[in-house]
Amino acid sequence: MNYTKIFIWMVFITGIFGLPSFSQDKTVVVKFITEVGDITAELYADKAPLTVANFLKYIDGGHFRGGSFYRTVRPENQGSNPVKIQVIQATIHPWRENDSFDPIEIERTNKTGLRHEDGTLSMARSEPNSATFSFFICIGLQPELDFGGHRNPDGQGFAAFGKVIEGMDVVRRINALHAEGQAIMPPARILNALRK
């Protein structure tokens, strides 16, 4: 076997087609166009594949078009809750709620390695394995939302799955909007949501 010829052919093919890729880039970028401004986030499909796949079904299906950021949680509007957090929460268009997909299993932060940091996207839920389409964005570090945290009494935390890479100023503006309790009045409409 002539290894020199094989090597020359490999160099030739690499020069034409580039190096073969043995690992895919598992980061997906999405953009939310809101009436307050744009928010761009990267989603970590390699670390939270189930959550990202579910979220993208709603993005690709146009469910967030006409949805809103409807909830703001700030230190002063959490009453006597001893575990304070700071987030904004979004939902799909109300007409699309009957068109939603089944709830997904929670991908806990002790398994994914993701954390609830400034700009983290995470799935809203009540019980474990109940998340569907509603998600929130963290403002500042929020360790009480990680696995073992105390914001949810079950201690399972929430499924972090992405992070804002552009538009944290918009996130903070939404967080500061007028609210009655935690309900933003009026909600900040999402004009469109799409992959970049």
Side-chain angles (χ1 to χ4, degrees):
M1 181 178 292
N2 191 328
Y3 290 102
T4 303
K5 286 185 178 179
I6 293 172
F7 177 76
I8 290 170
W9 271 107
M10 286 176 66
V11 170
F12 176 73
I13 291 170
T14 299
I16 294 174
F17 298 106
L19 287 169
S21 176
F22 297 105
S23 62
Q24 288 184 315
D25 182 4
K26 297 284 188 174
T27 301
V28 181
V29 177
V30 295
K31 184 175 185 178
F32 288 87
I33 301 167
T34 84
E35 60 186 359
V36 180
D38 298 346
I39 300 168
T40 303
E42 56 185 16
L43 312 182
Y44 305 127
D46 56 338
K47 297 179 179 177
L50 181 65
T51 307
V52 170
N54 175 72
F55 194 73
L56 289 174
K57 287 194 291 186
Y58 290 100
I59 294 284
D60 295 339
H63 291 67
F64 282 105
R65 193 178 305 120
S68 65
F69 284 94
Y70 71 96
R71 182 180 178 219
T72 180
V73 183
R74 306 187 286 247
E76 74 275 9
N77 69 2
Q78 297 173 71
S80 59
N81 193 322
V83 183
K84 307 292 188 194
I85 59 170
Q86 192 164 359
V87 303
I88 59 172
Q89 188 171 338
T91 189
I92 60 176
H93 192 296
W95 292 356
R96 301 300 302 273
E97 289 184 11
N98 291 332
D99 189 24
S100 64
F101 305 101
D102 291 336
I104 57 170
E105 183 179 346
I106 184 172
E107 292 181 300
R108 296 165 177 82
T109 57
N110 65 328
K111 302 295 185 185
T112 64
L114 298 171
R115 296 290 178 263
H116 289 84
E117 302 171 340
D118 190 42
T120 294
L121 275 69
S122 190
M123 294 305 298
R125 69 171 183 88
S126 51
E127 303 298 320
N129 308 328
S130 65
T132 51
F133 49 77
S134 187
F135 73 99
F136 59 88
I137 303 176
C138 296
I139 296 98
L141 291 172
Q142 303 298 333
E144 294 292 355
L145 299 173
D146 293 337
F147 179 82
H150 298 95
R151 179 63 181 198
N152 194 307
D154 60 33
Q156 299 302 300
F158 296 80
F161 66 97
K163 193 167 188 177
V164 173
I165 55 174
E166 293 178 21
M168 274 306 292
D169 57 327
V170 176
V171 172
R172 291 187 174 91
R173 282 205 300 273
I174 294 172
N175 186 234
L177 289 173
H178 172 72
E180 296 181 7
Q182 295 180 3
I184 298 173
M185 300 298 288
R189 287 189 307 128
I190 297 170
L191 306 178
N192 203 0
L194 63 163
R195 299 195 200 210
K196 280 194 75 175

